[in-house]
Amino acid sequence: MSETLLEVENLRTVFHTDKETIHAVDGVSFDVSEGETVGLVGESGSGKSVTARSVLGLVDDPGVIEEGSIRFRGDELVGGNWDQHRGDIAIVFQDPMNSLNPVYTVGNQIKEALRIHQGLRGSEATEKAVELLEDVGIPDAARRVSEYPHQFSGGMRQRAVIAIALACDPELLVCDEPTTALDVTIQAQILELLDDLQREEDLGVLFITHDMGVIEETADRVNVMYAGEFVESAPVDELFEEPRHPYTRGLLASIPGRNAEGDRLPTIEGEVPTSTSEPTSCRFAPRCDYAFGACEEVHPGRVRVGDVDTDHEVACLLYDDTFEETPPEGGVEAHGGESA
Amino acid sequence: MSRAKYLGKRLLMAIPVVWLGATMTWFIIFMGPIDPAARLLSEGQVRNPAAYQAAQTQLGLNQPPLQHYFDWLSSLLVFDLGQTWLLYQGSNVNALIMDFLPRTLWLGFWSVLIAIFVGVPLGFYAGMRSNTVADYVASMGGIVWRAMPNFWLGIMLLALLGSSEAIFGFAWETVGPDLLTGISGNPDLTQLGTVDGFLRATKKVLPAAIVLGSASMGNEMRIGRTAVLEVKNQDYVELAKVKGVSKRSLVYKHILRNALVPLVPIITSEAFLLIGGSVLVETVFGINGIGYLFYQAAIQGDLPLVGTLMYVFILMIVGINLIQDVLYTLIDPRVGLEGD
């Protein structure tokens, strides 16, 4: 059994604005173990990135982690203790165009991390930087190491960002939509690279994306996020075979190709609401085709579904025995499939 | 392209600019509404055709325009326009300028320096602490300071310093090096080599320099604040933070150099203003500088003096532009020496 790296418990990150308080992350809990990839999937605005930023201690004013605990190898990070674990958690951002400092060479930025975390300086550091660039698949690394970010293409920059992450010698890698800004072929290469590195270094990975296809390939366990909450958590195979939450089903149904019949791709109408208050109802209810009376009155808790050993949880009243409504046979269908 | 080659190209490109500026000056004075010959004569003599003719011949104004133009331009190129026509009549133009120029340069030097060393750090400070009381005070101060007109600020400052003993309880003249010749007037630049002479000359122009630099200081503060605000939320700064870079290095290495990029053209464009735009300040503070000289020469149509001064201004501005471009390439590697 591999060790648990990251434990997040009941994390609440809020943003205080002049008008209102936005509950961007509202009580999420998850663990990441060595060698494991935990996926975080959801629409834009569901709170995925804020979760990642919270884990990294990057939530700045007006945002604040109001409640909950983030532990790295048992050490509590909330309350400003990130500094002692800097480098243990590395990040790959969405936009490789902005992730590198434009006025310093790529080598300089890798060497900075090498100096801080591995104590390497001078030519030793340069050699190691070249080695890292080679590891992430940058050709002609010896020359590239002294080039500036603007001389790199998008895919190469993302590789360089990964090299910087590796230079920190991390145990956990947070990937915040690392392939969203890249074209499909580059995306596949980067995913493969991340996969290789993870296996070599036994890294824990927190992988954030809105792309269900990517999550199916990379993740071991998936958390589906909606309006700041996890509405469903399950091992990846289980989730894709037997999705329970109407939202998860909607997401899966809207992947092109999964759903060959019908000439229109099913969609989930509406958009993610911004949570400005404590939940008193199911936040997905207004968009849900299976909502019933209680959905407007009760905030659903998480209930365990499926086999005992699959660790599949869902936050939906359809699966809560205290309510009479039961999920329809064969599962709920996403809206739009037959009406098109 | 090497830096030397680039500089050579830029110098070649400056030739038409210098030529055009000089030619326009000649055209405006020679062909324009001001009649230097009439100004040379007293009221009564203007109506005397013989005397007027003699004045025109004396100044060479009755030559064919093209001949006059080419003579004038070729003399200008080698700084050999001889004597003034009207102002300090009969003095050598170059000697006159060499007498006045150092005072303006001394004033301009301190104005630029004060603006940079007060405005930029204050802006960066406000930007790093955005939306705090310190930021509001600095920003408001910057706006108010920026909004006060030069001539008014100059008069107020002189009034305050002039009666400083009654208002503040100490006399400005006797704080530090004594100002025996009063708080305004020409700085004595002959003793700059000695510590006491240097301090004395500096103290003498300091109030004028603060006033002349006030607008630039406000500008640089505002732009500096915005630049820092923009840079400090970039992904690459957050990546550096996650990398474990110290706060100090984060600010000085990653934020400030990027924030300097938009400041360079602001600072260099302020430098133009300080060369030419000091007539009001020089008048208020009683400094016989080049601004005052240029103004007098221009309204009287003293072609040799105006021409030479314009030539000096143009050369300075072209030079500052060149320095700006070189600074750009030093600060921001994305600005290449190639291209058109």
Side-chain angles (χ1 to χ4, degrees), chain B residues 141-176:
Chain B
I143 294 169
V144 171
W145 195 240
R146 167 88 189 78
M148 285 190 286
N150 268 345
F151 57 88
W152 182 83
L153 196 61
I155 292 166
M156 287 300 120
L157 197 59
L158 273 184
L160 281 180
L161 292 179
S163 41
S164 55
E165 191 147 25
I167 300 172
F168 307 111
F170 62 87
W172 168 251
E173 291 97 316
T174 53
V175 177

Side-chain angles (χ1 to χ4, degrees), chain A residues 10 201 297 320 332:
Chain A
N10 195 29
E201 315 262 335
E297 283 148 25
D320 195 329
V332 288

Side-chain angles (χ1 to χ4, degrees), chain B residues 65-87:
Chain B
L66 269 182
Q67 189 193 334
H68 187 271
Y69 168 69
F70 283 114
D71 283 352
W72 182 84
L73 198 64
S74 52
S75 319
L76 180 66
L77 280 182
V78 292
F79 285 100
D80 185 22
L81 280 182
Q83 296 173 343
T84 59
W85 285 354
L86 301 155
L87 220 58

